[in-house]
């Protein structure tokens, strides 16, 4: 039996520390890391759901579709900097929603960057797009940022 | 609801959707007419079309057959479909 659950906070937060391998020849954090961290933060957020294992096991034909994404670079981040990534949702519709990612330098609270993804769902069994599953609504509705 | 009212409400729904739902931000607003093809002229893809179907259901208070709605390409066809659904609901 799936117990009812809603994400308990108004945003999901995770952290990254800039390592040498993430910097470029100028010592700045290479741009692609911010896209990679969108994916990582998203995954960590989804795994917050206590029923994530069961959901994945029961929905093997469901595909999360990353429809589009965007990132804007606001300030630099360098080796050793700790970055706080805040995930919220936006514009939750029947078949899609937006995830918003904000990156802050923990040292000075400077906004490093901001990004967004549009997420949809495809069911291989039905061969078509499907509505946002309740599993995801449990997570994204509490973090909805109007 | 008259055809004109349905058209204006549909345009408002689509414009609002395009403004809020695309991650690339505000794009140049394109005039929507009865002859506008939502796929060819507005660049709407399959996921966006499904979202618009959902929004039409919310805004017009009707239940639509999503797969049938997706075959309507022109605004005029969608307006006609909405009017027919409105009268049967």
């Amino acid at each position: 039996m799936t117990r009812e659950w809603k994400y308990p906070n108004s945003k999901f937060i995770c952290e990254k520390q800039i390592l040498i391998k993430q910097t470029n020849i100028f010592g700045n954090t290479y741009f692609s890391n911010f896209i990679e961290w969108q994916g990582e933060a998203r995954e960590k957020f989804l795994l917050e759901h206590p029923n994530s294992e069961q959901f994945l096991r029961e929905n093997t034909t469901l595909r999360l579709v990353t429809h589009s994404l965007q990132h804007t670079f606001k300030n630099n981040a360098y080796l050793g900097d700790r970055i706080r990534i805040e995930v919220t949702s936006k514009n939750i519709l029947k078949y899609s929603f937006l995830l918003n990612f904000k990156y802050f330098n923990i040292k000075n609270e400077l906004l490093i960057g901001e990004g967004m993804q549009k997420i949809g769902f495809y069911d291989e069994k039905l061969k078509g797009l499907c509505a946002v599953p309740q599993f995801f609504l449990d997570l994204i509705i509490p973090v909805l940022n109007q | 609801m008259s055809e004109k009212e349905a058209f204006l409400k549909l345009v408002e729904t689509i414009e609002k959707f395009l403004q809020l739902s695309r991650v690339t931000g505000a794009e140049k607003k394109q005039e929507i007419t009865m002859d506008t093809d939502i796929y060819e002229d507005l660049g709407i893809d399959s996921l966006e079309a499904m979202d618009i179907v959902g929004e039409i259901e919310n805004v017009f208070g009707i239940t639509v057959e999503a797969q049938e709605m997706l075959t309507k390409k022109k605004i005029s066809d969608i307006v006609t479909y909405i009017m027919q659904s409105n009268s049967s609901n």
Side-chain angles (χ1 to χ4, degrees):
Chain A
M1 179 196 290
T2 304
R3 56 190 165 100
E4 289 186 11
W5 176 88
K6 302 284 178 213
Y7 186 69
N9 301 319
S10 60
K11 57 179 84 165
F12 172 72
I13 294 174
C14 61
E15 288 184 15
K16 296 296 297 184
Q17 185 171 30
I18 311 297
L19 304 177
I20 289 177
K21 66 178 179 179
Q22 280 134 6
T23 60
N24 58 23
I25 195 169
F26 306 108
N28 195 3
T29 306
Y30 193 59
F31 78 95
S32 59
N33 289 289
F34 293 92
I35 308 303
E36 189 175 318
W37 294 339
Q38 276 192 19
E40 200 174 302
R42 179 177 92 182
E43 205 169 317
K44 285 180 176 177
F45 180 39
L46 299 185
L47 289 172
E48 285 283 304
H49 200 300
N51 299 325
S52 56
E53 193 183 335
Q54 179 184 358
F55 180 79
L56 289 170
R57 200 170 53 240
E58 292 176 355
N59 294 278
T60 55
T61 60
L62 185 68
R63 305 284 176 261
L64 187 154
V65 175
T66 308
H67 171 271
S68 47
L69 66 87
Q70 168 269 345
H71 184 84
T72 305
F73 301 88
K74 305 275 190 185
N75 281 289
N76 294 322
Y78 300 97
L79 173 66
D81 284 346
R82 288 187 182 275
I83 308 299
R84 183 177 74 250
I85 305 171
E86 295 182 357
V87 182
T88 53
S89 66
K90 200 173 161 184
N91 210 41
I92 299 173
L93 301 178
K94 188 173 178 182
Y95 293 95
S96 74
F97 58 89
L98 302 181
L99 281 181
N100 192 49
F101 302 85
K102 282 189 173 178
Y103 302 73
F104 294 92
N105 188 325
I106 289 174
K107 183 171 58 183
N108 52 22
E109 288 298 312
L110 205 57
L111 182 65
I112 301 297
E114 190 166 358
M116 201 178 292
Q117 289 183 2
K118 179 167 175 149
I119 309 287
F121 295 87
Y122 182 87
D123 195 319
E124 293 281 358
K125 194 175 170 185
L126 302 174
K127 294 283 184 236
L129 296 166
C130 57
V132 179
Q134 184 60 47
F135 172 89
F136 291 88
L137 295 175
D138 293 343
L139 290 156
I140 62 175
I141 288 176
V143 301
L144 179 63
N145 183 358
Q146 300 285 9
Chain B
M1 178 181 287
S2 70
E3 186 182 84
K4 187 177 179 182
E5 284 170 339
F7 166 72
L8 290 173
K9 207 166 175 182
L10 176 63
V11 168
E12 187 188 346
T13 302
I14 292 175
E15 284 178 345
K16 186 179 172 188
F17 168 80
L18 291 175
Q19 189 186 4
L20 293 177
S21 239
R22 286 186 163 166
V23 300
T24 48
E27 295 169 7
K28 189 181 171 187
K29 196 171 167 183
Q30 185 166 345
E31 189 192 358
I32 300 175
T33 68
M34 286 289 247
D35 287 327
T36 298
D37 184 312
I38 62 169
Y39 300 107
E40 294 286 334
D41 299 327
L42 301 181
I44 283 170
D45 58 37
S46 56
L47 179 57
E48 291 176 324
M50 293 292 277
D51 277 333
I52 288 170
V53 166
E55 289 301 280
I56 286 172
E57 287 184 322
N58 286 339
V59 166
F60 289 93
I62 56 176
T63 303
V64 301
E65 180 56 51
Q67 293 305 319
E68 187 180 348
M69 177 71 111
L70 293 179
T71 64
K72 315 294 178 195
K73 297 180 181 180
K74 289 206 182 284
I75 293 291
S76 56
D77 295 333
I78 298 172
V79 169
T80 302
Y81 186 87
I82 289 169
M83 302 274 297
Q84 287 169 351
S85 298
N86 223 13
S87 58
S88 60
N89 272 329

